[in-house]
């Protein structure tokens, strides 16, 4: 049907389902990592098309994990395996087949892309909610509410489990290629045609009729036993070679008198039914659906059909967290990750896109990042009820699932809660300091890393920042700028860039020394900060980390290859300047693996950043009467994830240059730039290369400053050698 038929309505949209449909429009995402290059523009166009018909979308995201996951590492391992196969196919010059494998690998997951979509929706002024648990339950609540907050829902068939009668299963927005006089800058491009947009829908009654007038209860049970997030597929169904349909499942159920207990008893020799305790799991699944926890329009957290809900419904879903935390989650201020660890008592470290076979990556996530994860958990638990400090937290890694590491939160090293409480500077003091810095550093943004360290150069000002909140509300932090700036200072203290007296440490002085090289670009600022963290962890160097992976430098001598690799790894921290269209160019599994190192580090740092911010709210230091939650989340550093694309393009340029007779000649460099641009078709190569080399200059300076400060950097001598080599090739 034409989308115009939905005119002037409100559509509830399951964000995970929407992302599942749209991410395939950018098939090389699993080969590059990071946020998409083209999807933001596409999503914005689709939102505009909906607006053209008066349609208001309301997106709902999944919140905390729920139910029991029998194989938490299976999907990521399977995706990584298919990614490896895709790279192998790519190396055999079978690009179309490789692209199809990347496209269907299952990466990136909707959970990873959720923050990207929240950012895009916020930019477009579109409402979204993060559910306490399942987005589907939240959507059903919105539609079934007496005030019917949404008119219809776009999502998967599992919505029928929650009593939804009709749902949209497909939104189709066709694009038409612009040609002739309609070309943009002389190039063919495409635009969305709203009037040709269509949607497909399905209703419960039609499904029941097509299944032979199936009773509604049998239909629900058939959906459950077919397999979903709520319940594993009924084990005997998996033994059928040809697969099975919902009709096959309903036939099984009706053949057992519509009783799931009777159905299970018909398979006394199936060990899987006993092992899974399938009848109990079925009952729990049914309860968790009937009484799933949602956030009401009044902001309360309560189960569906509250009057009939059992008191132990949390046993079927997962531990309930304080309502205040759920409110911050629902508005997008924080991500579900740390909250999931606290609620479930489990930290599950899954395989990255490249497979994570290297010892470097495994040691990083186990030895270097685990203390950071524990610090984030401890910081959060310290601001909650004493009960949470007694929780045991287990950490399991995909590559070593038998050795589970356990710790009780109260046994962790004490968090610096009291020292952190001394960050309560008001905006007028910040503006005064920024004005004093304006001549040497104009346009410093409050809340940025640059302002955080530059402002503390003056030891007298640093001493003035030692402030305390008053509980009478007179000194509550109110503006976004003062909240973010204090949160960043707290975060930098946690990471050792600032001491308890608010003075810069050696690493703080190093950070302050490199950020001016990058100007006011927030993306470059983030990249430089990540570089310092990787240097501190000993993983930003030219070591042979991924010897078995393709995509390393192949031209020149060993020194050329070493230098090319180090510069390219630094470039992986930056952002490729690229128009809003899918990437088309060379790939490197080697640099994707290094991106996994960067991404793991960034995720751990962002967790700590968010906890440093949200605990200010939990401790009552911040005015909670506000509506700029997503503005705060976006203003805090380390939100956006870039890909390894800039590293790949940089490696392609430098490696091919090493194949030339005189790689330092201007002719060779210009010809190599042209060749690289022809391979990486759509990127703005000159501007991207400038970004990469500017970032290199900053990181190289950081190594020099670290050496001068007496900080130990692995192979520090090498950086000046590589810098000299690069100076003749840029």
């Amino acid at each position: 049907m034409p989308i115009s038929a939905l005119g002037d309505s409100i559509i509830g949209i399951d964000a995970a389902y929407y992302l599942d449909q749209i991410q395939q429009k950018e098939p090389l995402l699993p080969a590059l990592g990071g946020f998409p290059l083209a999807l933001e523009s596409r999503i914005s166009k689709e939102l505009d098309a909906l607006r053209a018909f008066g349609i208001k979308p309301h997106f709902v995201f999944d919140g905390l994990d729920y139910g029991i996951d029998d194989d938490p590492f299976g999907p990521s391992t399977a995706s990584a395996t298919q990614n490896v196969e895709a790279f192998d196919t790519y190396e055999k010059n079978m690009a179309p087949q490789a692209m199809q494998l990347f496209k269907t690998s299952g990466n990136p997951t909707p959970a990873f892309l959720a923050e990207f979509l929240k950012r895009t929706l916020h930019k477009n002024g579109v409402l979204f909610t993060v559910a306490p648990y399942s987005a589907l339950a939240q959507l059903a609540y919105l539609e079934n509410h007496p005030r019917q907050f949404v008119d219809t829902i776009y999502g998967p068939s599992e919505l029928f489990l929650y009593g939804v009668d009709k749902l949209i299963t497909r939104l189709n927005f066709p694009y038409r290629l612009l040609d002739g006089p309609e070309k943009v800058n002389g190039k063919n491009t495409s635009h969305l045609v709203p009037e040709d947009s269509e949607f497909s829908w399905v209703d419960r009654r039609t499904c029941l009729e097509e299944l032979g007038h199936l009773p509604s209860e049998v239909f629900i049970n058939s959906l459950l036993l077919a397999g979903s997030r709520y319940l594993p597929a009924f084990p005997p169904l998996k033994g059928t070679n040809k697969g099975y349909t919902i009709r096959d499942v309903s036939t099984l159920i009706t053949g057992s008198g519509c009783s799931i207990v009777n159905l299970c008893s018909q398979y006394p020799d199936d060990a899987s039914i006993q092992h899974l305790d399938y009848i109990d799991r079925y009952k729990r699944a049914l309860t968790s659906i009937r009484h799933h926890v949602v956030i009401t329009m009044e902001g309360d957290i309560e189960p569906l059909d509250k009057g009939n809900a059992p008191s132990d419904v949390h046993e079927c879903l997962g531990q309930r967290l304080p309502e205040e935390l759920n409110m911050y989650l629902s508005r997008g201020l924080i991500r579900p990750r740390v909250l999931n660890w606290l609620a479930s008592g489990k930290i599950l470290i899954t395989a990255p896109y490249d497979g994570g076979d290297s010892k470097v990556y495994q040691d990083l996530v186990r030895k270097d990042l685990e203390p950071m994860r524990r610090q984030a958990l401890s910081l959060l638990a310290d601001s909650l009820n004493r009960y949470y400090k007694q929780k045991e937290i287990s950490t399991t890694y995909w590559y070593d699932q038998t050795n589970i590491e356990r710790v009780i939160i109260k046994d962790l090293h004490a968090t610096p809660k009291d020292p952190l409480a001394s960050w309560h500077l008001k905006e007028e003091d910040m503006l005064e300091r920024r004005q004093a810095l304006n001549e040497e550093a104009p346009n410093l943004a409050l809340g940025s890393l640059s302002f955080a360290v530059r402002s503390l150069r003056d030891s007298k000002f640093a001493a003035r920042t030692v402030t305390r909140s008053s509980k009478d509300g007179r000194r509550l932090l109110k503006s976004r700028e003062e909240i973010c700036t204090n949160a960043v200072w707290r975060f930098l203290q946690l990471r050792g860039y600032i001491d308890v007296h608010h003075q810069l440490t050696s690493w703080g002085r190093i950070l302050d020394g490199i950020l001016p090289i990058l100007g006011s670009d927030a993306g470059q600022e983030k990249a430089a900060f990540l570089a310092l963290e990787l240097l501190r962890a000993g993983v930003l160097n030219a070591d042979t980390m991924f010897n078995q992976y393709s995509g390393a430098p192949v031209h020149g001598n060993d020194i050329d290859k070493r230098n090319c690799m180090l510069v390219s790894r630094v470039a992986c921290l930056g952002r490729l300047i690229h128009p809003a269209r899918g990437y088309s160019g060379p790939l490197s599994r080697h640099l994707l693996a290094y991106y996994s190192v960067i991404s793991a580090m960034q995720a751990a740092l962002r967790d700590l950043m968010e906890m440093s911010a949200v605990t200010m709210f939990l401790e009552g230091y911040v005015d909670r009467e506000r509506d700029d939650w997503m503005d705060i989340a976006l203003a805090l550093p380390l939100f956006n994830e870039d890909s390894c694309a800039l590293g790949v393009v940089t490696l392609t340029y430098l490696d091919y240059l090493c194949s030339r007779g005189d790689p330092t000649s201007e002719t060779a460099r210009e010809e190599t730039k042209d060749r690289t641009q022809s391979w990486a078709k759509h990127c703005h190569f000159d501007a991207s290369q400038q970004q990469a080399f500017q970032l290199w200059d900053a990181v190289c300076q950081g190594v020099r400053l670290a050496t001068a400060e007496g900080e130990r950097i692995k192979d520090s001598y090498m950086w000046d050698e590589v810098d000299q080599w690069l100076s003749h090739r840029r």
Side-chain angles (χ1 to χ4, degrees), residues 42-219:
R42 189 180 187 96
I43 292 168
S44 297
K45 289 176 182 177
E46 294 185 0
L47 294 174
D48 287 341
L50 292 176
R51 286 196 192 97
F53 296 109
I55 300 169
K56 294 181 180 179
H58 183 152
F59 284 76
V60 180
F61 294 82
D62 285 320
L64 301 185
D65 294 337
Y66 53 90
I68 301 173
D69 190 346
D70 293 300
D71 188 14
F73 300 107
S76 65
T77 302
S79 294
T81 300
Q82 184 160 324
N83 246 21
V84 172
E85 183 183 353
F87 272 108
D88 289 342
T89 306
Y90 170 78
E91 291 296 324
K92 296 173 183 174
N93 294 318
M94 300 166 64
Q97 296 90 329
M99 185 174 290
Q100 184 61 28
L101 286 167
F102 282 126
K103 183 177 181 179
T104 58
S105 70
N107 271 325
T109 63
F112 173 80
L113 290 176
E115 304 311 314
F116 158 77
L117 181 55
K118 290 174 194 173
R119 184 192 72 184
T120 305
L121 296 175
H122 185 70
K123 283 183 179 180
N124 284 273
V126 173
L127 185 66
F128 73 81
T129 301
V130 182
Y133 295 96
S134 169
L136 305 188
Q138 188 69 37
L139 285 163
Y141 162 80
L142 294 173
E143 186 186 57
N144 295 332
H145 193 278
R147 290 168 60 186
Q148 194 174 2
F149 295 108
V150 299
D151 298 299
T152 188
I153 298 173
Y154 172 47
S157 59
E158 284 90 344
L159 279 158
F160 286 134
L161 293 169
Y162 289 99
V164 172
D165 287 325
K166 296 179 181 179
L167 59 96
I168 297 169
T169 57
R170 186 178 68 94
L171 293 173
N172 180 38
F173 297 95
Y175 284 74
R176 180 166 64 85
L177 192 67
L178 296 178
D179 202 353
E182 294 180 303
K183 287 184 179 181
V184 177
N185 295 327
K187 296 181 180 180
N188 289 334
T189 185
S190 59
H191 77 291
L192 190 148
V193 187
E195 58 270 20
D196 293 340
S197 302
E198 300 174 327
F199 73 97
S200 302
W201 60 281
V202 63
D203 69 276
R204 177 191 295 265
R205 185 173 63 181
T206 301
C207 292
L208 297 179
E209 289 175 355
E210 290 185 357
L211 290 170
H213 298 280
L214 204 64
S216 184
E217 182 180 354
V218 175
F219 180 57

Side-chain angles (χ1 to χ4, degrees), residues 656-668:
Y656 183 75
L657 189 59
C658 289
S659 71
R660 307 301 302 273
D662 181 5
T664 63
S665 71
E666 185 175 349
T667 300

Side-chain angles (χ1 to χ4, degrees), residues 460-476:
K460 292 182 180 179
F461 175 78
R464 282 176 54 198
T465 64
V466 180
T467 49
R468 292 277 175 176
S469 170
S470 62
K471 294 291 185 177
D472 60 7
R474 286 178 297 176
R475 284 190 55 83
L476 286 179

Side-chain angles (χ1 to χ4, degrees), residues 216-272:
S216 184
E217 182 180 354
V218 175
F219 180 57
I220 295 296
N221 285 335
S222 299
L223 289 172
L224 273 175
L225 268 63
S228 69
R229 188 166 176 175
Y230 310 96
L231 184 70
F234 187 54
L237 291 169
K238 297 179 181 179
T240 58
N241 294 326
K242 63 177 182 177
Y244 56 90
T245 64
I246 197 73
R247 187 184 298 276
D248 298 327
V249 184
S250 64
T251 300
L252 273 179
I253 295 173
T254 53
S256 61
C258 300
S259 166
I260 305 304
V261 174
N262 289 345
L263 177 61
C264 289
S265 67
Q266 293 175 11
Y267 297 88
D269 299 327
D270 193 315
S272 296

